[in-house]
Amino acid sequence: MFVPEPPDLAQLERITPSIYEASMNCLAKAAWSAFGDGSALPQHLGAILGTAFHTVVAAAHKGELMVEGIGDRSPARELFDKTAQELHQVAHPLVKLKFRSAGRLPFYNLHRERSARIATPVAASRHASSASAVGAARSSALSTRTESRLCSKDGRIVGRADCIDGRSGMVIDYKTGHASEVDADASAVSDSEVRQLRLYAYLAAENEIAVDKGVIVRGDGRRCEVAIAPAEAEAEADRAREQLFRLNAAAAEGDSFHDLTSPSPRNCSFCPCIPFCGPFWAAAKPEWTTVCGSNIEGDIVDVGSRDIQGSSLTTLILSRRAGTLSAERVSVEQIPSEWLRMNGWALPCVGDAVRVVHGRQVQMDENTAVVRVDKAMTAVWRVRRGNTDGGKKRVGEKHGGQPHTRTA
Ligand code: SF4
């Protein structure tokens, strides 16, 4: 598969919490979040399972998860399975090659059980309250919003909180991943989570729902709270508008994706744009490896394939051009050949350029590094000739010189 093109910039009418968060690290990452073609990249496996998790929890809050009682987790499991299967069916071909069914995704059962453990008591209490007091349930539904799209009065900020409970003045966000900033402190909420909760509180206030508290519920059941003053929520919304203005000013100036990049170990760590972000490859250094992983761009100087236990595996020997490894030669070993032949392509040849993203370095001496693939994370991209200089395509080239407008 070839490295995709970076997105063209355009005028963005509204900013979402996720675009805002991406913009706090790197405006180019925010541009990808706003305008990128998500189907061009293999999904992060955690995103597939996270979406299934959120679907189950949202169904519980909406009263759509029909449980017999607090111990009846079957409806949650069934909904998780159905959602994950649907997401797997439309996933990137590399994801489907690596994992033939949703159930084979790493940590599938862990996420499934966590969603059932969190959603089932919520669903049981929703049914109990609707059975005992229909009127109260109706009034609760009016002040409770589950995954509702909320927009600010000026139309510039939009977001979809997992749950806004107006009766208790609380916005709740469920997290399935780890928050590395807060791992050491079980009761802490990370800076990015606080920003997100404040934006949701602001959107709630703009829609006549008073919220003064944000709650993060982690997949393992940990619950962390943070107070949100109206002034803090408004200040966060102002900062989000500023970022929206910066993105739109860059588009109006004719800047390209590459003009907006801010490569650094912290910003680029796990950034989905790494495969096509020329400035990342130009800036990456060996000391970035601990944060960004083993990423190598090079020219193929040798290719070899062999069958091991019925599977064809290919080794590529690369002459290094760029990346986070310092060795001049890199042997990328045991790549399943079907990853390289995807969509009917022939195996790459000597002289082709490739980018190997998120490999696993197993050995290195002064001149040679040995990298193995990580089934969940690694992708091998072919680079088109002339596409290794940071790709300076300008805004409007694809659109006849007229920047277009995109609504979040
Ligand atoms: S890889 Fe780094 S520089 Fe490139 S878009 Fe992502 S965060 Fe920005």
Side-chain angles (χ1 to χ4, degrees):
M1 57 190 183
F2 278 96
V3 167
E5 289 288 318
D8 294 313
L9 269 62
Q11 292 296 307
L12 186 64
E13 283 185 10
R14 304 179 183 97
I15 192 165
T16 65
S18 61
I19 297 173
Y20 173 51
E21 195 50 41
S23 77
M24 298 301 280
N25 297 131
C26 174
L27 272 187
K29 197 194 293 190
W32 167 259
S33 184
F35 305 116
D37 172 10
S39 68
L41 299 178
Q43 292 80 6
H44 194 289
L45 305 180
I48 296 175
L49 297 174
T51 302
F53 175 101
H54 278 91
T55 301
V56 173
V57 175
H61 277 287
K62 289 177 187 165
E64 296 169 357
L65 202 61
M66 299 302 165
V67 297
E68 303 270 326
I70 201 163
D72 178 17
R73 295 183 177 177
S74 298
R77 291 177 183 134
E78 284 163 17
L79 180 58
F80 186 96
D81 290 340
K82 177 173 173 288
T83 309
Q85 277 163 20
E86 288 169 359
L87 293 168
H88 181 267
Q89 273 168 17
V90 295
H92 188 277
L94 183 61
V95 172
K96 291 199 274 192
L97 259 185
K98 290 177 171 182
F99 302 97
R100 302 285 175 178
S101 68
R104 294 188 176 193
L105 294 171
F107 305 112
Y108 184 91
N109 287 324
L110 176 72
H111 284 85
R112 183 176 185 255
E113 280 314 294
R114 284 180 166 181
S115 71
R117 195 177 63 193
I118 288 175
T120 303
V122 174
S125 73
R126 285 277 307 178
H127 293 311
S129 64
S130 60
S132 63
V134 173
R138 276 199 195 119
S139 93
S140 159
L142 288 175
S143 60
T144 300
R145 304 283 186 94
T146 301
E147 292 208 333
S148 293
R149 183 178 183 275
L150 297 178
C151 192
S152 60
K153 285 178 180 153
D154 68 356
R156 307 303 270 170
I157 304 173
V158 67
R160 205 181 285 273
D162 287 340
C163 182
I164 294 176
D165 184 347
R167 285 186 310 163
S168 51
M170 202 160 60
V171 54
I172 305 171
D173 205 54
Y174 293 91
K175 299 288 182 196
T176 52
H178 294 288
S180 55
E181 293 172 55
V182 301
D183 274 351
D185 182 353
S187 64
V189 179
S190 74
D191 291 346
S192 64
E193 289 166 346
V194 169
R195 284 193 286 271
Q196 188 182 15
L197 290 170
R198 284 175 177 165
L199 276 190
Y200 287 141
Y202 174 78
L203 289 172
E206 291 277 281
N207 287 273
E208 319 302 338
I209 305 172
V211 162
D212 61 7
K213 192 164 42 183
V215 178
I216 295 289
V217 179
R218 305 206 184 281
D220 60 8
R222 274 190 289 162
R223 198 178 164 93
C224 321
E225 285 189 14
V226 60
I228 303 174
E232 291 172 327
E234 281 164 23
E236 205 67 65
D238 287 344
R239 285 191 283 275
R241 284 192 187 89
E242 278 169 30
Q243 296 300 83
L244 177 64
F245 177 81
R246 287 181 65 203
L247 267 174
N248 285 338
E253 285 289 311
D255 286 346
S256 72
F257 171 88
H258 291 88
D259 293 325
L260 301 189
T261 53
S262 308
S264 74
R266 182 173 164 274
N267 290 350
C268 301
S269 176
F270 293 106
C271 177
C273 306
I274 285 177
F276 57 82
C277 182
F280 166 83
W281 293 97
K285 296 182 179 58
E287 51 269 31
W288 292 23
T289 308
T290 44
V291 196
C292 294
S294 297
N295 302 281
I296 180 79
E297 176 188 294
D299 297 310
I300 299 175
V301 295
D302 197 10
V303 186
S305 298
R306 60 186 175 136
D307 282 350
I308 297 179
Q309 295 176 345
S311 298
S312 172
L313 301 175
T314 296
T315 293
L316 303 177
I317 311 290
L318 306 181
S319 166
R320 177 190 187 278
R321 281 187 184 178
T324 57
L325 301 182
S326 59
E328 289 306 312
R329 284 206 162 209
V330 180
S331 174
V332 187
E333 296 186 340
Q334 299 185 2
I335 309 166
S337 303
E338 61 182 0
W339 294 13
L340 302 168
R341 290 203 187 103
M342 217 175 58
N343 295 337
W345 289 97
L347 281 179
C349 307
V350 170
D352 288 347
V354 295
R355 287 174 178 163
V356 180
V357 175
H358 290 128
R360 198 162 44 84
Q361 184 184 315
V362 292
Q363 190 184 322
M364 179 147 94
D365 61 32
E366 218 166 88
N367 294 317
T368 307
V370 176
V371 168
R372 296 250 168 93
V373 293
D374 178 292
K375 187 174 178 184
M377 294 292 297
T378 305
V380 181
W381 296 90
R382 298 191 201 192
V383 183
R384 289 187 174 84
R385 288 284 158 209
N387 197 19
T388 53
D389 60 352
K392 295 290 183 187
K393 189 165 69 159
R394 310 299 298 184
V395 175
E397 279 182 0
K398 196 173 162 187
H399 301 277
Q402 296 299 316
H404 58 286
T405 298
R406 169 76 171 265
T407 304

